[in-house]
Amino acid sequence: MERSYDFNLPEEYQLVELQKHELSYPIRHAQERHWISPDNCISEQTFDGRYGYLYYYEFWIEKEATIPVYITLGDLHLSYSLQSSSPIRQHHDIDNFVMDFIEGQGAYLYLAKGEYKVSLPQGHHILVGFILDAGLFRPPANRHFNFLQHLVNAKKEQSIRSDKSVTFRVGEVTKRQLQLLFSKINPHILDNEYMLLKHLIFLIQLSRFKISEDGEEQLIDQARNLLQIMILHQGAKVRLSDVAAVLLKSRDRINEEHKKQYAYTFHDYRNQLLLDYIASIIVGNEKLATTAEECGFSSINELHKFIKNQTGLTPLTFKQQQENVGNDPSSKNDLQEPPS
């Protein structure tokens, strides 16, 4: 995607090849720039992807500073404040737009074309963001993202006024996903764009579970839907404690509610989803090692153990069973589908 902003740093900031401080979250294959002044240091990492433009800024500020930023095109942003001893403030005086980036919080923004100022207080700050393709939120998927529809509309109409969503929590689950994405980016491999899009969609999905819109969705429905998304993204690596952490509930509470409503444990539901996911993957792979890797298992032995425990079958027999199901149209109606 096209980069739609740039800094207009004061003359006291000099561009240098080597950063003064080690980056807290290095991004593989990112483009880097580093600036120093007599008092402050700024490091930039960016990656230009087809479906999203990733940017990362780390600030070491000894003397408070204000940096002009010029936005050349109205765009939709997803931002995360990973670290900040005091809030970073971005504002547009004419538009009367103010955004405070507070540690542990994220938000969606529509930033209209124009000149902004970013106020940096003393301290160590880390700000990560993506410029997003608004087309990701087309119907029917956008029904889960009513909280940012006004921003999507502003982007499509190229509104002259900036706006923002409600904020959401940025916890350890999100940080781990960002670090995983940072480690996997590689423009030299064929499926890089697919990988970037997959992680970006997961981060977007994760954000909606941290925003309570109207309370209509019951806890156990939220937990099941979130677990389904996490299984599709992480496979066997999914931890039920992560589901609980995102929803700010205990594992025991979620399991109790699940047993009350469905008469079996939340862990059993996790295994059911994972087995369904394996079934959808295993037929298309010639080697079991490929299936094990795609489904989040650390080895073929782990895959073998899981399938054996769940079905009593070996992975090869399970694969043959799925191939037979796929070749028998009359049996497809009997397959269980995960919840929408």
Side-chain angles (χ1 to χ4, degrees):
M1 292 187 67
E2 181 182 355
R3 176 179 176 136
S4 58
Y5 69 93
D6 210 351
F7 290 149
N8 185 15
L9 291 170
E11 292 184 359
E12 65 191 76
Y13 286 87
Q14 300 296 314
L15 191 64
V16 295
E17 290 190 10
L18 297 176
Q19 69 266 35
K20 183 177 179 181
H21 301 277
E22 184 176 353
L23 292 165
S24 299
Y25 299 92
I27 301 176
R28 187 184 184 195
H29 296 295
Q31 298 292 320
E32 294 187 21
R33 291 195 296 178
H34 311 281
W35 299 269
I36 60 171
S37 75
D39 302 298
N40 304 326
C41 298
I42 301 173
S43 284
E44 173 192 77
Q45 298 182 93
T46 59
F47 187 87
D48 187 358
R50 180 176 179 182
Y51 300 105
Y53 185 91
L54 167 63
Y55 54 86
Y56 171 107
Y57 292 97
E58 192 156 2
F59 306 94
W60 295 267
I61 306 299
E62 295 182 10
K63 182 180 178 181
E64 292 184 4
T66 298
I67 299 174
V69 178
Y70 189 72
I71 306 292
T72 59
L73 177 71
D75 260 324
L76 184 64
H77 294 246
L78 168 58
S79 67
Y80 302 94
S81 180
L82 300 189
Q83 182 171 324
S84 186
S85 49
S86 299
I88 298 173
R89 169 164 289 188
Q90 180 174 347
H91 53 99
H92 189 292
D93 293 335
I94 298 176
D95 192 19
N96 198 29
F97 171 80
V98 177
M99 177 64 199
D100 288 328
F101 296 96
I102 299 172
E103 180 177 331
Q105 292 186 8
Y108 291 86
L109 310 170
Y110 168 72
L111 298 178
K113 181 179 178 180
E115 187 172 352
Y116 299 74
K117 294 178 181 178
V118 176
S119 300
L120 300 165
Q122 286 184 323
H124 182 196
H125 317 285
I126 301 174
L127 187 65
V128 177
F130 298 88
I131 299 175
L132 302 176
D133 181 351
L136 291 170
F137 302 98
R138 59 182 177 269
N142 64 339
R143 70 184 188 277
H144 295 302
F145 297 93
N146 292 330
F147 64 92
L148 57 82
Q149 193 58 50
H150 62 298
L151 304 180
V152 174
N153 293 338
K155 159 63 179 175
K156 291 179 178 178
E157 298 165 3
Q158 282 297 290
S159 172
I160 61 173
R161 298 188 63 85
S162 299
D163 207 345
K164 58 190 177 182
S165 73
V166 295
T167 59
F168 55 85
R169 293 173 290 105
V170 178
E172 291 305 313
V173 177
T174 300
K175 288 181 180 179
R176 286 205 308 270
Q177 287 305 311
L178 286 169
Q179 287 181 277
L180 182 61
L181 172 60
F182 296 166
S183 70
K184 287 183 173 293
I185 286 177
N186 186 350
H188 307 300
I189 60 175
L190 189 61
D191 63 348
N192 179 70
E193 296 299 336
Y194 164 76
M195 183 277 301
L196 176 59
L197 180 61
K198 180 182 177 183
H199 279 78
L200 183 54
I201 288 175
F202 179 69
L203 288 166
I204 291 169
Q205 291 277 22
L206 196 59
S207 70
R208 77 176 177 89
F209 286 95
K210 300 182 179 184
I211 295 175
S212 178
E213 294 187 74
D214 51 23
E216 289 183 359
E217 191 174 29
Q218 295 184 2
L219 168 62
I220 204 58
D221 294 328
Q222 285 186 316
R224 284 166 68 93
N225 290 335
L226 177 57
L227 180 59
Q228 180 190 5
I229 290 167
M230 295 180 78
I231 288 289
L232 292 175
H233 182 74
Q234 299 175 297
K237 289 187 174 69
V238 170
R239 299 185 298 192
L240 298 185
S241 57
D242 287 342
V243 176
V246 170
L247 299 178
L248 292 180
K249 304 295 181 183
S250 69
R251 282 185 58 179
D252 289 344
R253 165 76 185 284
I254 293 174
N255 191 57
E256 179 183 340
E257 292 293 324
H258 196 276
K259 286 180 69 176
K260 185 185 300 181
Q261 188 163 336
Y262 293 97
Y264 61 97
T265 68
F266 194 52
H267 188 267
D268 287 339
Y269 181 61
R270 176 258 187 195
N271 290 342
Q272 174 192 321
L273 288 177
L274 181 55
L275 188 65
D276 290 343
Y277 183 51
I278 294 168
S280 71
I281 296 291
I282 197 168
V283 174
N285 290 328
E286 183 179 345
K287 297 181 179 180
L288 289 176
T290 305
T291 299
E293 182 179 359
E294 285 190 34
C295 294
F297 292 93
S298 60
S299 66
I300 296 178
N301 287 338
E302 277 199 2
L303 174 67
H304 185 286
K305 183 178 179 181
F306 178 80
I307 293 176
K308 188 73 172 177
N309 286 342
Q310 296 301 310
T311 68
L313 305 174
T314 66
L316 285 176
T317 305
F318 181 71
K319 180 179 180 180
Q320 291 169 355
Q321 183 186 73
Q322 299 310 307
E323 289 172 340
N324 292 335
V325 168
N327 292 329
D328 182 2
S330 65
S331 65
K332 292 183 179 181
N333 294 331
D334 297 330
L335 293 178
Q336 274 195 319
E337 294 184 0
S340 59

